[in-house]
Amino acid sequence: MKNVTCIEDLRVLHRRRVPRAFFDYADGGSYSEETLRANRADIEHIRLRQRVLVDVSSRSLATTILGQKVSAPFALAPIGLTGMQHGNGEILAAQAAEEAGIPYTLSTMSICSIEDVAEATTKPFWFQLYVIKDRGFSKDVLSRAAEAKCSALVLTVDLQVLGQRHRDIKNGMTVPPEIRLANIIDIGTKPAWIWGILKGKSKTFGNLAGHVKGMENVNSLAQWIQSQFDPALSWKDVEWIKNIWPGKLIIKGILDPEDAKMAVKLGADAIVVSNHGGRQLDGAPSTISALPGVAQAVGSDTEVLFDGGIRTGADLVRALALGARACLIGRAYVYGLGAGGRAGVSKAIEILKNELSVTMALTGTNRVADIGPNIIVGGETKKKPTRKRKG
Ligand code: GLV
């Protein structure tokens, strides 16, 4: 880890240490991966204003998200199968986030369960939910999350049907997973990964195993998941969730101002401007290009979070300047996890924090709240929308 200086270094190590099927699952996008590439290309395109001779000796990265104090304006995003990138992956990532003072989001499709993560951490984490056909399961898993004192629910709304990921099919990362000679040979060359997985608490979908009737093994669970995508999902289901979930509600997967307005109307505490990391609608706009329009449409009572393509501290600044209160970091931390477990996640967080601090200094910014359109070239005349803080 000594020679790791940036997130891309972690990505290279992740690719080397983790079986290809799992690396590709995290790294890839849907169909031609146009939107996946656009997320990066468009964010890289934004130029920051270099400012000099501003006293930046009292910089602070600290801010709040939904009233919660955080050491930096980002949280770890929900990622399915994190525990297959490294044994106990969800526990290790949650612990690294807790140590760093930022929120961790556990995916419904995690390997370690809600209870496993709660037992291994001391502070509340966030829980991500897919509303699936089996509403009984959704209700049950929400009460488990509430019992585990999860402080916010991240409701993913952009996965009614699955965008096809060519890489996953080619690698046999289908549901159920295919046992192929190429995969066996590949896994055989990754002994440290195997050892970590064998030592891990869970080797199946931890939130589902034992909670979905008649689903004893990973293959039947995987088939069940496949049959549970719900094309009939609608805003009515959001109202239902809002009524049964006692904590903060974050709606993730908003890319259109009309949908943003609807989320606000239904009482979302926050939305996440997201195209699911380029994994769903290929051809959708990059999140950074959609962000200003969505931020504009959202009133002052709903916080705007952002994900998609964040690999550097400068990217965090770009997203905040264009209207995000904070970002969710997905692949950037998963690369760290695959590269080196908990230490790798801590490294990813540290890299982003250091880069953010330097970017703030060189743009003449002391406080996260001061990051606005005026630090972007061409954005000098635009005013940052003023937002009331909730809670
Ligand atoms: C699940 O959310 C995925 O993108 O694979």
Side-chain angles (χ1 to χ4, degrees), residues 138-205:
S138 300
K139 207 169 165 206
D140 178 51
V141 84
L142 280 188
S143 55
R144 288 167 60 198
E147 180 78 13
K149 308 224 168 355
C150 291
S151 54
L153 179 71
V154 178
L155 181 66
T156 300
V157 293
D158 57 2
L159 205 120
Q160 274 164 294
V161 297
L162 189 71
Q164 176 170 305
R165 292 97 193 245
H166 295 322
R167 296 201 218 181
D168 290 353
I169 294 175
K170 292 191 167 76
N171 289 330
M173 257 298 280
T174 49
V175 253
E178 267 179 60
I179 312 287
R180 292 182 179 177
L181 186 62
N183 287 348
I184 295 169
I185 294 171
D186 180 38
I187 288 174
T189 62
K190 312 281 178 342
W193 176 86
I194 298 177
W195 180 237
I197 296 290
L198 287 177
K199 279 193 315 183
K201 270 197 133 140
S202 164
K203 286 154 200 67
T204 180
F205 297 99

Side-chain angles (χ1 to χ4, degrees), residues 25 130 159 165 276 279:
Y25 169 73
Y130 293 114
L159 205 120
R165 292 97 193 245
H276 214 101
R279 300 161 73 80

Side-chain angles (χ1 to χ4, degrees), residues 48-99:
L48 300 169
R49 283 175 74 200
Q50 171 178 306
R51 302 303 307 276
V52 296
L53 299 176
V54 178
D55 177 355
V56 286
S57 57
S58 59
R59 287 186 322 285
S60 166
L61 310 186
T63 183
T64 62
I65 309 177
L66 293 170
Q68 178 183 346
K69 283 194 180 136
V70 291
S71 65
F74 61 93
L76 301 193
I79 307 275
L81 297 176
T82 305
M84 282 291 143
Q85 305 295 353
H86 191 287
N88 285 337
E90 291 88 1
I91 290 178
L92 301 179
Q95 289 173 333
E98 178 171 320
E99 186 183 43

